[in-house]
Amino acid sequence: MNDSESVIMAEAVKIREFLETEGKHLSRLLADFPKGACGNASDLLAEWLIERGFNQIDYVWGQRLDQSHGWLKLEGLIVDITADAFPGGPGPVFVGRQSDFHDSFRPIRVSSPELSPILREVYGTLRNRLGS
């Protein structure tokens, strides 16, 4: 892992830990975290990474059979803090260039991550607790 990947991993772990302990208390959108929270968690992580100088972050949403999943893509890396919501997922935090798990989802949409008004409140709390 190079320096940039190590920083991304450390920041992803930090946000994952915050969402595990406090997310469900802050918004119904995160009530079953990590299940059903991939998009919202990815948007929160993207905002955090943008504030730390990372840019050109994409949100990838894909589908396989009757399941959908979302994660971030930046600097050629897959960054996922909710893959453990699925059997066979690569664990609670994944940062890497290739993943058979992610390849099993057919990409449906690639877009810029964006915080909804509800998530902006959650993000404000996250920022206050973790520091800006």
Side-chain angles (χ1 to χ4, degrees):
M1 219 179 252
N2 66 34
D3 289 344
S4 181
E5 290 175 35
S6 295
V7 169
I8 292 168
M9 174 61 93
E11 297 301 330
V13 167
K14 190 183 299 183
I15 299 306
R16 167 66 192 225
E17 289 174 352
F18 173 85
L19 293 175
E20 283 179 332
T21 59
E22 301 188 45
K24 65 182 72 181
H25 307 293
L26 296 174
S27 172
R28 62 180 167 68
L29 298 175
L30 301 167
D32 293 324
F33 184 85
K35 292 181 181 172
C38 56
N40 295 317
S42 293
D43 287 341
L44 290 163
L45 175 59
E47 188 72 18
W48 183 259
L49 292 172
I50 289 166
E51 285 190 3
R52 272 132 198 86
F54 292 94
N55 51 37
Q56 297 180 344
I57 299 174
D58 288 324
Y59 173 71
V60 180
W61 179 71
Q63 190 157 4
R64 69 174 181 196
L65 304 173
D66 62 343
Q67 300 175 320
S68 65
H69 185 49
W71 59 90
L72 299 178
K73 194 91 188 240
L74 70 146
E75 297 186 4
L77 296 169
I78 297 164
V79 182
D80 190 344
I81 60 173
T82 60
D84 60 327
F86 296 89
V93 177
F94 177 82
V95 176
R97 298 202 177 277
Q98 195 280 326
S99 160
D100 291 340
F101 170 76
H102 292 89
D103 288 347
S104 72
F105 289 85
R106 182 175 50 90
I108 301 292
R109 184 179 74 231
V110 177
S111 60
S112 296
E114 184 178 333
L115 289 180
S116 68
I118 292 171
L119 286 180
R120 287 212 173 278
E121 290 181 34
V122 173
Y123 188 75
T125 302
L126 181 153
R127 231 173 138 209
N128 289 335
R129 301 244 171 94
L130 298 180
S132 52

